[in-house]
Protein backbone atom coordinates (compact mmCIF):
# COMPACT_ATOMS: atom_id res chain seq x y z
CA UNK A 1 0.00 0.00 0.00
CA UNK A 2 1.59 3.29 -1.08
CA UNK A 3 0.92 6.38 1.07
CA UNK A 4 -1.83 8.73 -0.04
CA UNK A 5 -1.45 12.50 0.01
CA UNK A 6 -4.27 14.44 1.65
CA UNK A 7 -4.60 18.18 1.04
CA UNK A 8 -6.92 19.87 3.52
CA UNK A 9 -8.75 22.99 2.22
CA UNK A 10 -6.07 23.87 -0.36
CA UNK A 11 -6.47 27.40 -1.74
CA UNK A 12 -4.68 27.51 -5.11
CA UNK A 13 -5.41 25.18 -8.02
CA UNK A 14 -1.80 25.70 -9.13
CA UNK A 15 -0.59 24.11 -5.91
CA UNK A 16 -2.94 21.15 -6.31
CA UNK A 17 -1.62 20.64 -9.85
CA UNK A 18 2.02 20.96 -8.81
CA UNK A 19 1.33 18.49 -5.99
CA UNK A 20 -0.06 15.96 -8.48
CA UNK A 21 2.97 16.38 -10.70
CA UNK A 22 5.47 15.90 -7.86
CA UNK A 23 3.51 12.86 -6.66
CA UNK A 24 3.63 11.09 -10.00
CA UNK A 25 7.32 12.01 -10.47
CA UNK A 26 7.98 9.99 -7.37
CA UNK A 27 5.60 7.11 -8.01
CA UNK A 28 2.58 8.19 -5.95
CA UNK A 29 -0.91 8.61 -7.40
CA UNK A 30 -3.41 8.56 -4.53
CA UNK A 31 -4.55 12.14 -3.93
CA UNK A 32 -7.38 13.06 -1.56
CA UNK A 33 -8.67 16.60 -1.24
CA UNK A 34 -10.79 18.01 1.57
CA UNK A 35 -12.92 21.06 0.69
CA UNK A 36 -10.77 22.82 -1.93
CA UNK A 37 -11.41 26.58 -1.68
CA UNK A 38 -12.18 27.10 -5.36
CA UNK A 39 -14.42 24.05 -5.84
CA UNK A 40 -13.89 21.02 -8.01
CA UNK A 41 -12.94 20.26 -10.78
CA UNK A 42 -10.32 22.99 -11.01
CA UNK A 43 -8.91 23.87 -14.44
CA UNK A 44 -5.77 25.50 -13.00
CA UNK A 45 -4.96 22.29 -11.15
CA UNK A 46 -5.34 20.31 -14.39
CA UNK A 47 -3.19 22.76 -16.38
CA UNK A 48 -0.42 22.76 -13.78
CA UNK A 49 -0.37 18.99 -13.44
CA UNK A 50 0.66 18.59 -17.10
CA UNK A 51 1.48 14.90 -17.71
CA UNK A 52 0.21 14.05 -14.24
CA UNK A 53 -3.38 15.11 -15.01
CA UNK A 54 -4.47 11.53 -14.31
CA UNK A 55 -3.72 12.13 -10.61
CA UNK A 56 -6.06 15.14 -10.63
CA UNK A 57 -8.74 13.29 -12.59
CA UNK A 58 -8.90 10.40 -10.17
CA UNK A 59 -8.37 12.49 -7.00
CA UNK A 60 -10.99 11.78 -4.34
CA UNK A 61 -12.98 14.62 -2.79
CA UNK A 62 -14.18 14.79 0.81
CA UNK A 63 -16.06 17.28 2.93
CA UNK A 64 -14.26 16.47 6.18
CA UNK A 65 -10.78 15.31 7.07
CA UNK A 66 -12.31 12.53 9.17
CA UNK A 67 -13.95 11.14 6.00
CA UNK A 68 -10.69 11.37 4.05
CA UNK A 69 -8.93 9.47 6.82
CA UNK A 70 -11.64 6.85 7.35
CA UNK A 71 -9.70 3.83 6.01
CA UNK A 72 -6.22 5.14 6.91
CA UNK A 73 -4.26 3.26 9.55
CA UNK A 74 -1.30 5.59 10.09
CA UNK A 75 -1.35 9.32 9.37
CA UNK A 76 1.24 12.04 9.78
CA UNK A 77 0.60 15.78 9.54
CA UNK A 78 3.07 18.24 8.07
CA UNK A 79 3.07 21.37 10.17
CA UNK A 80 5.45 24.28 10.48
CA UNK A 81 4.09 25.58 13.78
CA UNK A 82 4.94 24.07 17.11
CA UNK A 83 1.90 22.44 18.65
CA UNK A 84 1.55 22.07 22.34
CA UNK A 85 0.68 18.41 21.98
CA UNK A 86 2.24 15.28 23.31
CA UNK A 87 2.64 13.66 19.91
CA UNK A 88 5.78 12.24 18.32
CA UNK A 89 7.57 14.67 16.00
CA UNK A 90 9.25 13.04 13.01
CA UNK A 91 11.86 14.37 10.64
CA UNK A 92 11.55 13.45 6.94
CA UNK A 93 13.87 10.43 7.16
CA UNK A 94 12.07 8.90 10.15
CA UNK A 95 8.71 9.68 8.59
CA UNK A 96 9.79 7.95 5.39
CA UNK A 97 11.07 4.87 7.20
CA UNK A 98 7.85 4.60 9.18
CA UNK A 99 5.70 5.01 6.06
CA UNK A 100 7.67 2.27 4.31
CA UNK A 101 7.48 -0.06 7.30
CA UNK A 102 3.69 0.37 7.44
CA UNK A 103 3.39 0.05 3.65
CA UNK A 104 5.23 -3.23 3.71
CA UNK A 105 2.93 -4.51 6.43
CA UNK A 106 0.00 -3.72 4.10
CA UNK A 107 -1.27 -0.76 6.13
CA UNK A 108 -2.90 2.29 4.60
CA UNK A 109 -0.93 5.46 5.34
CA UNK A 110 -1.40 9.17 4.68
CA UNK A 111 0.73 12.29 4.54
CA UNK A 112 -1.54 15.21 5.43
CA UNK A 113 -0.95 18.85 4.45
CA UNK A 114 -3.01 21.86 5.52
CA UNK A 115 -4.04 25.01 3.66
CA UNK A 116 -1.33 27.31 2.26
CA UNK A 117 -1.96 30.17 4.65
CA UNK A 118 -3.18 28.58 7.84
CA UNK A 119 -2.03 24.96 7.88
CA UNK A 120 -3.89 22.33 9.86
CA UNK A 121 -6.03 23.05 12.90
CA UNK A 122 -5.34 21.47 16.27
CA UNK A 123 -8.61 19.61 15.78
CA UNK A 124 -7.23 18.12 12.53
CA UNK A 125 -4.04 17.09 14.28
CA UNK A 126 -5.77 15.14 17.02
CA UNK A 127 -6.47 12.47 14.38
CA UNK A 128 -2.81 12.07 13.48
CA UNK A 129 -0.33 9.52 14.74
CA UNK A 130 2.61 11.88 14.41
CA UNK A 131 3.69 15.35 13.35
CA UNK A 132 6.17 15.92 10.53
CA UNK A 133 8.71 18.74 10.77
CA UNK A 134 10.55 19.45 7.54
CA UNK A 135 13.73 21.29 8.58
CA UNK A 136 13.79 24.80 7.10
CA UNK A 137 15.91 27.88 7.50
CA UNK A 138 14.62 30.19 10.22
CA UNK A 139 15.49 33.10 7.94
CA UNK A 140 12.63 32.13 5.58
CA UNK A 141 10.67 29.14 6.85
CA UNK A 142 7.57 29.56 4.64
CA UNK A 143 7.65 26.43 2.47
CA UNK A 144 5.34 26.33 -0.55
CA UNK A 145 2.68 23.60 -0.27
CA UNK A 146 3.66 21.72 -3.44
CA UNK A 147 7.37 22.01 -2.60
CA UNK A 148 6.71 20.42 0.79
CA UNK A 149 4.81 17.60 -0.91
CA UNK A 150 7.63 17.21 -3.49
CA UNK A 151 10.28 16.93 -0.78
CA UNK A 152 8.36 14.20 1.05
CA UNK A 153 7.46 12.25 -2.11
CA UNK A 154 11.15 12.41 -3.09
CA UNK A 155 12.18 11.09 0.35
CA UNK A 156 9.71 8.23 0.06
CA UNK A 157 10.72 7.26 -3.46
CA UNK A 158 14.46 7.55 -3.00
CA UNK A 159 14.45 5.61 0.27
CA UNK A 160 12.26 2.94 -1.29
CA UNK A 161 14.50 2.73 -4.36
CA UNK A 162 17.66 2.37 -2.32
CA UNK A 163 16.21 -0.12 0.17
CA UNK A 164 14.07 -2.27 -2.12
CA UNK A 165 16.78 -4.85 -2.69
CA UNK A 166 18.01 -4.82 0.90
CA UNK A 167 16.44 -6.85 3.67
CA UNK A 168 13.56 -5.09 5.36
CA UNK A 169 15.32 -3.47 8.34
CA UNK A 170 12.30 -3.08 10.56
CA UNK A 171 8.96 -4.82 10.62
CA UNK A 172 5.75 -4.82 12.57
CA UNK A 173 4.29 -7.94 14.10
CA UNK A 174 1.65 -9.26 11.72
CA UNK A 175 -0.88 -9.60 14.52
CA UNK A 176 -1.00 -5.85 15.27
CA UNK A 177 -3.13 -4.31 12.53
CA UNK A 178 -3.49 -0.61 13.27
CA UNK A 179 -7.11 0.43 13.47
CA UNK A 180 -8.47 2.51 10.60
CA UNK A 181 -9.10 6.12 11.55
CA UNK A 182 -12.86 5.76 11.21
CA UNK A 183 -12.86 3.28 14.08
CA UNK A 184 -10.73 5.58 16.20
CA UNK A 185 -12.91 8.57 15.42
CA UNK A 186 -16.01 6.57 16.26
CA UNK A 187 -14.40 5.65 19.56
CA UNK A 188 -13.59 9.31 20.28
CA UNK A 189 -17.17 10.34 19.50
CA UNK A 190 -18.55 7.56 21.59
CA UNK A 191 -16.28 8.45 24.50
CA UNK A 192 -17.01 12.18 24.27
CA UNK A 193 -20.75 11.64 24.08
CA UNK A 194 -20.60 9.56 27.21
CA UNK A 195 -18.34 12.07 28.92
CA UNK A 196 -20.76 14.83 27.95
CA UNK A 197 -23.70 12.95 29.39
CA UNK A 198 -21.74 12.25 32.51
CA UNK A 199 -21.00 15.93 33.13
CA UNK A 200 -17.27 15.42 32.65
CA UNK A 201 -16.88 18.69 30.75
CA UNK A 202 -17.34 21.28 33.46
CA UNK A 203 -18.04 24.08 30.94
CA UNK A 204 -18.72 24.42 27.21
CA UNK A 205 -15.79 26.82 27.11
CA UNK A 206 -13.25 24.25 28.26
CA UNK A 207 -14.66 21.33 26.31
CA UNK A 208 -12.73 21.60 23.01
CA UNK A 209 -9.35 21.76 24.72
CA UNK A 210 -10.15 18.87 27.01
CA UNK A 211 -11.46 16.78 24.12
CA UNK A 212 -8.31 17.48 22.09
CA UNK A 213 -6.11 16.45 24.96
CA UNK A 214 -8.01 13.21 25.37
CA UNK A 215 -7.91 12.45 21.63
CA UNK A 216 -4.17 13.09 21.53
CA UNK A 217 -3.66 10.87 24.52
CA UNK A 218 -5.47 7.91 22.95
CA UNK A 219 -4.04 8.57 19.52
CA UNK A 220 -0.58 7.95 20.94
CA UNK A 221 -1.60 4.37 21.64
CA UNK A 222 -1.54 3.61 17.90
CA UNK A 223 -4.37 1.22 18.62
CA UNK A 224 -5.13 -2.00 16.81
CA UNK A 225 -8.69 -2.76 15.73
CA UNK A 226 -9.04 -5.18 18.62
CA UNK A 227 -7.85 -2.56 21.09
CA UNK A 228 -10.38 -0.04 19.80
CA UNK A 229 -13.11 -2.65 20.24
CA UNK A 230 -11.87 -3.30 23.76
CA UNK A 231 -11.86 0.40 24.66
CA UNK A 232 -15.32 0.92 23.23
CA UNK A 233 -16.49 -2.02 25.26
CA UNK A 234 -15.05 -0.39 28.35
CA UNK A 235 -16.75 2.94 27.64
CA UNK A 236 -20.05 1.23 26.83
CA UNK A 237 -19.81 -0.83 29.92
CA UNK A 238 -18.98 2.09 32.18
CA UNK A 239 -21.77 4.23 30.71
CA UNK A 240 -24.30 1.45 31.06
CA UNK A 241 -23.35 0.90 34.66
CA UNK A 242 -23.84 4.60 35.37
CA UNK A 243 -27.15 4.82 33.49
CA UNK B 1 31.21 28.37 1.37
CA UNK B 2 27.61 27.38 0.63
CA UNK B 3 26.87 25.93 -2.82
CA UNK B 4 25.49 28.27 -5.46
CA UNK B 5 22.62 27.33 -7.75
CA UNK B 6 23.20 27.98 -11.46
CA UNK B 7 20.22 28.02 -13.84
CA UNK B 8 21.28 27.76 -17.49
CA UNK B 9 18.92 29.43 -20.01
CA UNK B 10 15.81 29.07 -17.82
CA UNK B 11 12.59 29.69 -19.73
CA UNK B 12 9.89 30.61 -17.19
CA UNK B 13 10.17 33.47 -14.70
CA UNK B 14 7.83 31.50 -12.43
CA UNK B 15 10.41 28.73 -12.18
CA UNK B 16 13.20 31.20 -11.38
CA UNK B 17 11.03 32.68 -8.62
CA UNK B 18 10.07 29.28 -7.21
CA UNK B 19 13.76 28.33 -7.30
CA UNK B 20 14.67 31.41 -5.25
CA UNK B 21 11.97 30.60 -2.72
CA UNK B 22 13.06 26.98 -2.29
CA UNK B 23 16.69 28.11 -1.97
CA UNK B 24 16.00 30.54 0.85
CA UNK B 25 13.71 28.02 2.60
CA UNK B 26 16.74 25.80 2.87
CA UNK B 27 19.34 28.44 3.69
CA UNK B 28 20.86 29.08 0.25
CA UNK B 29 20.97 32.52 -1.38
CA UNK B 30 23.58 32.45 -4.14
CA UNK B 31 21.74 32.28 -7.47
CA UNK B 32 23.48 32.60 -10.84
CA UNK B 33 21.54 32.75 -14.09
CA UNK B 34 22.92 32.19 -17.57
CA UNK B 35 20.94 33.80 -20.42
CA UNK B 36 17.37 33.71 -19.11
CA UNK B 37 15.01 33.37 -22.09
CA UNK B 38 12.78 36.29 -21.14
CA UNK B 39 15.54 38.75 -20.21
CA UNK B 40 16.30 40.33 -16.85
CA UNK B 41 14.91 41.60 -14.50
CA UNK B 42 11.83 39.39 -14.68
CA UNK B 43 8.68 40.50 -12.84
CA UNK B 44 7.18 36.98 -12.77
CA UNK B 45 10.30 35.71 -11.05
CA UNK B 46 10.00 38.45 -8.42
CA UNK B 47 6.29 37.81 -7.86
CA UNK B 48 6.76 34.06 -7.49
CA UNK B 49 9.71 34.44 -5.11
CA UNK B 50 7.49 36.19 -2.52
CA UNK B 51 9.53 36.59 0.69
CA UNK B 52 12.64 35.35 -1.11
CA UNK B 53 12.72 38.31 -3.54
CA UNK B 54 16.14 39.22 -2.13
CA UNK B 55 17.58 36.12 -3.84
CA UNK B 56 16.21 37.34 -7.19
CA UNK B 57 17.40 40.90 -6.59
CA UNK B 58 20.97 39.86 -5.90
CA UNK B 59 21.09 37.04 -8.48
CA UNK B 60 24.10 37.30 -10.78
CA UNK B 61 23.67 37.24 -14.54
CA UNK B 62 26.05 35.68 -17.05
CA UNK B 63 26.13 35.24 -20.80
CA UNK B 64 27.97 31.90 -20.74
CA UNK B 65 28.04 28.95 -18.38
CA UNK B 66 31.85 29.14 -18.41
CA UNK B 67 31.64 32.67 -16.96
CA UNK B 68 29.16 31.56 -14.31
CA UNK B 69 31.50 28.75 -13.32
CA UNK B 70 34.71 30.80 -13.41
CA UNK B 71 35.44 30.77 -9.66
CA UNK B 72 33.74 27.43 -8.92
CA UNK B 73 35.92 24.56 -7.78
CA UNK B 74 33.47 21.66 -7.86
CA UNK B 75 30.35 21.56 -10.02
CA UNK B 76 27.65 18.94 -10.50
CA UNK B 77 25.02 18.95 -13.25
CA UNK B 78 21.47 17.73 -12.75
CA UNK B 79 20.41 15.82 -15.81
CA UNK B 80 17.60 13.39 -16.51
CA UNK B 81 19.03 11.98 -19.71
CA UNK B 82 21.74 9.40 -19.78
CA UNK B 83 24.95 10.84 -21.17
CA UNK B 84 27.48 8.71 -22.87
CA UNK B 85 30.28 10.19 -20.79
CA UNK B 86 32.75 8.68 -18.43
CA UNK B 87 31.84 10.92 -15.53
CA UNK B 88 30.80 9.93 -12.01
CA UNK B 89 27.04 9.76 -11.48
CA UNK B 90 25.88 10.81 -8.02
CA UNK B 91 22.59 10.29 -6.27
CA UNK B 92 21.23 13.11 -4.10
CA UNK B 93 22.71 11.78 -0.85
CA UNK B 94 26.22 11.35 -2.29
CA UNK B 95 25.97 14.71 -4.04
CA UNK B 96 24.99 16.34 -0.76
CA UNK B 97 27.82 14.70 1.19
CA UNK B 98 30.33 15.79 -1.44
CA UNK B 99 29.00 19.36 -1.50
CA UNK B 100 29.27 19.54 2.29
CA UNK B 101 32.79 18.09 2.31
CA UNK B 102 33.92 20.68 -0.24
CA UNK B 103 32.08 23.47 1.57
CA UNK B 104 33.85 22.62 4.81
CA UNK B 105 37.19 22.71 3.01
CA UNK B 106 36.33 26.27 1.90
CA UNK B 107 35.81 25.32 -1.77
CA UNK B 108 33.29 27.02 -4.02
CA UNK B 109 30.68 24.57 -5.31
CA UNK B 110 27.76 24.75 -7.73
CA UNK B 111 24.62 22.76 -8.49
CA UNK B 112 23.83 23.35 -12.16
CA UNK B 113 20.39 22.97 -13.78
CA UNK B 114 19.56 23.25 -17.49
CA UNK B 115 16.57 24.72 -19.28
CA UNK B 116 13.09 23.32 -18.59
CA UNK B 117 12.63 21.72 -21.98
CA UNK B 118 16.07 20.74 -23.13
CA UNK B 119 18.30 20.48 -20.06
CA UNK B 120 22.05 20.93 -20.34
CA UNK B 121 24.05 20.33 -23.49
CA UNK B 122 26.89 17.84 -23.65
CA UNK B 123 29.17 20.86 -24.06
CA UNK B 124 27.89 22.27 -20.75
CA UNK B 125 28.48 18.96 -19.04
CA UNK B 126 32.11 18.73 -20.05
CA UNK B 127 32.78 21.44 -17.44
CA UNK B 128 31.25 19.43 -14.63
CA UNK B 129 32.93 17.21 -12.09
CA UNK B 130 29.95 14.90 -11.78
CA UNK B 131 26.41 14.24 -12.95
CA UNK B 132 23.46 14.21 -10.57
CA UNK B 133 20.63 11.73 -11.07
CA UNK B 134 17.57 12.44 -8.95
CA UNK B 135 15.67 9.13 -8.80
CA UNK B 136 12.24 9.49 -10.41
CA UNK B 137 9.45 7.16 -11.41
CA UNK B 138 9.82 5.94 -14.98
CA UNK B 139 6.06 6.33 -15.35
CA UNK B 140 6.45 10.14 -15.24
CA UNK B 141 10.07 11.22 -14.98
CA UNK B 142 9.61 14.88 -16.01
CA UNK B 143 10.60 16.78 -12.87
CA UNK B 144 9.74 20.49 -12.72
CA UNK B 145 12.87 22.70 -12.58
CA UNK B 146 12.05 24.40 -9.28
CA UNK B 147 10.96 21.08 -7.71
CA UNK B 148 14.33 19.58 -8.64
CA UNK B 149 16.09 22.56 -7.06
CA UNK B 150 13.87 22.29 -3.96
CA UNK B 151 14.67 18.60 -3.51
CA UNK B 152 18.42 19.23 -3.68
CA UNK B 153 18.34 22.30 -1.41
CA UNK B 154 16.30 20.26 1.08
CA UNK B 155 18.89 17.43 0.95
CA UNK B 156 21.69 19.90 1.53
CA UNK B 157 20.00 21.67 4.43
CA UNK B 158 18.70 18.58 6.19
CA UNK B 159 22.02 16.75 5.93
CA UNK B 160 23.87 19.83 7.16
CA UNK B 161 21.41 20.27 10.06
CA UNK B 162 21.73 16.67 11.17
CA UNK B 163 25.52 16.51 10.78
CA UNK B 164 26.56 19.92 12.07
CA UNK B 165 27.13 18.72 15.59
CA UNK B 166 28.74 15.43 14.55
CA UNK B 167 32.39 15.06 13.66
CA UNK B 168 33.12 15.76 10.03
CA UNK B 169 33.02 12.25 8.55
CA UNK B 170 35.17 12.92 5.52
CA UNK B 171 37.69 15.58 4.72
CA UNK B 172 39.99 16.61 1.92
CA UNK B 173 43.71 17.14 2.39
CA UNK B 174 44.26 20.86 2.87
CA UNK B 175 47.05 20.91 0.30
CA UNK B 176 44.79 19.92 -2.62
CA UNK B 177 42.88 23.04 -3.59
CA UNK B 178 40.71 22.17 -6.58
CA UNK B 179 41.39 24.49 -9.50
CA UNK B 180 38.72 27.05 -10.33
CA UNK B 181 36.83 26.27 -13.52
CA UNK B 182 38.27 29.29 -15.32
CA UNK B 183 41.73 27.75 -15.06
CA UNK B 184 40.49 24.41 -16.33
CA UNK B 185 38.62 26.03 -19.21
CA UNK B 186 41.71 28.04 -20.12
CA UNK B 187 43.68 24.81 -20.13
CA UNK B 188 41.11 23.14 -22.41
CA UNK B 189 41.21 26.08 -24.82
CA UNK B 190 44.95 26.13 -24.79
CA UNK B 191 45.14 22.40 -25.42
CA UNK B 192 42.52 22.45 -28.20
CA UNK B 193 44.19 25.39 -29.95
CA UNK B 194 47.44 23.50 -29.98
CA UNK B 195 45.75 20.31 -31.12
CA UNK B 196 44.04 22.25 -33.91
CA UNK B 197 47.33 23.71 -35.07
CA UNK B 198 48.92 20.30 -34.96
CA UNK B 199 46.28 18.78 -37.23
CA UNK B 200 45.03 16.47 -34.46
CA UNK B 201 41.40 16.94 -35.50
CA UNK B 202 41.22 15.00 -38.76
CA UNK B 203 37.97 16.74 -39.82
CA UNK B 204 35.86 19.70 -38.68
CA UNK B 205 32.96 17.27 -38.50
CA UNK B 206 34.57 15.09 -35.85
CA UNK B 207 36.11 17.88 -33.83
CA UNK B 208 33.32 18.68 -31.32
CA UNK B 209 32.95 15.04 -30.24
CA UNK B 210 36.69 14.57 -29.89
CA UNK B 211 37.03 17.80 -27.91
CA UNK B 212 34.22 16.75 -25.57
CA UNK B 213 35.83 13.40 -24.94
CA UNK B 214 39.13 15.04 -24.13
CA UNK B 215 37.52 17.59 -21.81
CA UNK B 216 35.65 14.84 -19.97
CA UNK B 217 38.81 12.85 -19.64
CA UNK B 218 40.75 15.70 -18.01
CA UNK B 219 37.78 16.85 -15.98
CA UNK B 220 37.79 13.48 -14.20
CA UNK B 221 41.19 14.36 -12.76
CA UNK B 222 39.58 16.94 -10.47
CA UNK B 223 42.78 18.93 -10.88
CA UNK B 224 44.37 21.22 -8.35
CA UNK B 225 45.60 24.64 -9.43
CA UNK B 226 49.15 23.38 -9.41
CA UNK B 227 48.22 20.41 -11.59
CA UNK B 228 46.56 22.69 -14.13
CA UNK B 229 49.72 24.80 -14.26
CA UNK B 230 51.74 21.65 -14.74
CA UNK B 231 49.54 20.41 -17.58
CA UNK B 232 49.60 23.78 -19.30
CA UNK B 233 53.34 23.75 -19.00
CA UNK B 234 53.41 20.35 -20.70
CA UNK B 235 51.17 21.49 -23.56
CA UNK B 236 53.16 24.70 -24.01
CA UNK B 237 56.37 22.78 -23.96
CA UNK B 238 55.20 20.17 -26.46
CA UNK B 239 53.79 22.79 -28.82
CA UNK B 240 56.97 24.86 -28.68
CA UNK B 241 59.14 21.84 -29.44
CA UNK B 242 57.02 21.08 -32.50
CA UNK B 243 57.02 24.71 -33.70
Amino acid sequence: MKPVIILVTPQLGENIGATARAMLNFGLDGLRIVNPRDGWPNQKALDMAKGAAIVIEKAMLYTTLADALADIQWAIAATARNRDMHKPIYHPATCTDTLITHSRAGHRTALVFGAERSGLTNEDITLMDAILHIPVSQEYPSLNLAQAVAVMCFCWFSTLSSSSSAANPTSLPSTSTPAPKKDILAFFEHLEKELEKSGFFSSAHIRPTMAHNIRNLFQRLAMTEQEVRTLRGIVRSLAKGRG
Side-chain angles (χ1 to χ4, degrees), chain A residues 20-108:
Chain A
R21 186 170 172 183
M23 287 173 62
L24 202 59
N25 284 151
F26 298 116
L28 295 178
D29 55 5
L31 177 60
R32 301 182 179 190
I33 307 176
V34 180
N35 277 336
R37 185 192 67 184
D38 297 339
W40 202 255
N42 182 317
Q43 190 59 42
K44 283 179 180 167
L46 267 173
D47 293 346
M48 197 65 149
K50 295 203 164 67
I54 179 75
V55 176
I56 297 294
E57 284 156 10
K58 63 176 207 164
M60 290 167 71
L61 221 69
Y62 299 87
T63 50
T64 69
L65 176 58
D67 288 343
L69 283 169
D71 62 332
I72 297 298
Q73 293 165 297
W74 193 82
I76 185 163
T79 170
R81 285 180 290 145
N82 261 324
R83 312 285 179 153
D84 193 15
M85 291 186 194
H86 190 131
K87 214 176 261 291
I89 295 172
Y90 286 13
H91 278 251
T94 329
C95 169
T96 304
D97 290 344
T98 308
L99 285 170
I100 291 174
T101 301
H102 277 287
S103 290
R104 285 185 175 149
H107 303 159
R108 293 176 188 274

Side-chain angles (χ1 to χ4, degrees), chain A residues 19 22 25 41 48 51 62 81 92 99-100 107-108 127 138 144-145 149 177 179 209 214 221:
Chain A
T19 290
N25 284 151
M48 197 65 149
Y62 299 87
R81 285 180 290 145
L99 285 170
I100 291 174
H107 303 159
R108 293 176 188 274
L127 287 169
Q138 286 318 299
N144 166 266
L145 172 59
V149 174
T177 303
T209 306
I214 292 168
L221 288 171

Side-chain angles (χ1 to χ4, degrees), chain A residues 11-217:
Chain A
Q11 300 174 289
L12 297 172
E14 290 86 342
N15 281 336
I16 303 173
T19 290
R21 186 170 172 183
M23 287 173 62
L24 202 59
N25 284 151
F26 298 116
L28 295 178
D29 55 5
L31 177 60
R32 301 182 179 190
I33 307 176
V34 180
N35 277 336
R37 185 192 67 184
D38 297 339
W40 202 255
N42 182 317
Q43 190 59 42
K44 283 179 180 167
L46 267 173
D47 293 346
M48 197 65 149
K50 295 203 164 67
I54 179 75
V55 176
I56 297 294
E57 284 156 10
K58 63 176 207 164
M60 290 167 71
L61 221 69
Y62 299 87
T63 50
T64 69
L65 176 58
D67 288 343
L69 283 169
D71 62 332
I72 297 298
Q73 293 165 297
W74 193 82
I76 185 163
T79 170
R81 285 180 290 145
N82 261 324
R83 312 285 179 153
D84 193 15
M85 291 186 194
H86 190 131
K87 214 176 261 291
I89 295 172
Y90 286 13
H91 278 251
T94 329
C95 169
T96 304
D97 290 344
T98 308
L99 285 170
I100 291 174
T101 301
H102 277 287
S103 290
R104 285 185 175 149
H107 303 159
R108 293 176 188 274
T109 58
L111 269 159
V112 184
F113 296 84
E116 288 89 337
R117 192 171 298 271
S118 50
L120 295 163
T121 65
N122 283 347
E123 174 84 26
D124 294 335
I125 290 181
T126 59
L127 287 169
M128 304 295 154
D129 294 277
I131 287 172
L132 166 69
H133 271 189
I134 300 176
V136 285
S137 164
Q138 286 318 299
E139 189 189 346
Y140 184 56
S142 167
L143 198 55
N144 166 266
L145 172 59
Q147 301 277 40
V149 174
V151 159
M152 290 313 302
C153 294
F154 159 78
C155 285
W156 181 80
F157 187 77
S158 64
T159 305
L160 199 69
S161 310
S162 65
S163 70
S164 57
S165 58
N168 186 348
T170 56
S171 62
L172 299 169
S174 60
T175 49
S176 72
T177 303
K181 295 297 178 193
K182 69 174 187 307
D183 290 5
I184 293 177
L185 189 65
F187 163 68
F188 287 158
E189 286 166 352
H190 179 190
L191 175 64
E192 287 159 17
K193 194 184 70 186
E194 293 300 340
L195 290 175
E196 182 79 57
K197 284 201 286 187
S198 75
F200 174 83
F201 301 115
S202 51
S203 76
H205 174 68
I206 204 82
R207 184 191 153 141
T209 306
M210 291 182 78
H212 286 180
N213 290 345
I214 292 168
R215 287 184 177 207
N216 280 324
L217 177 76

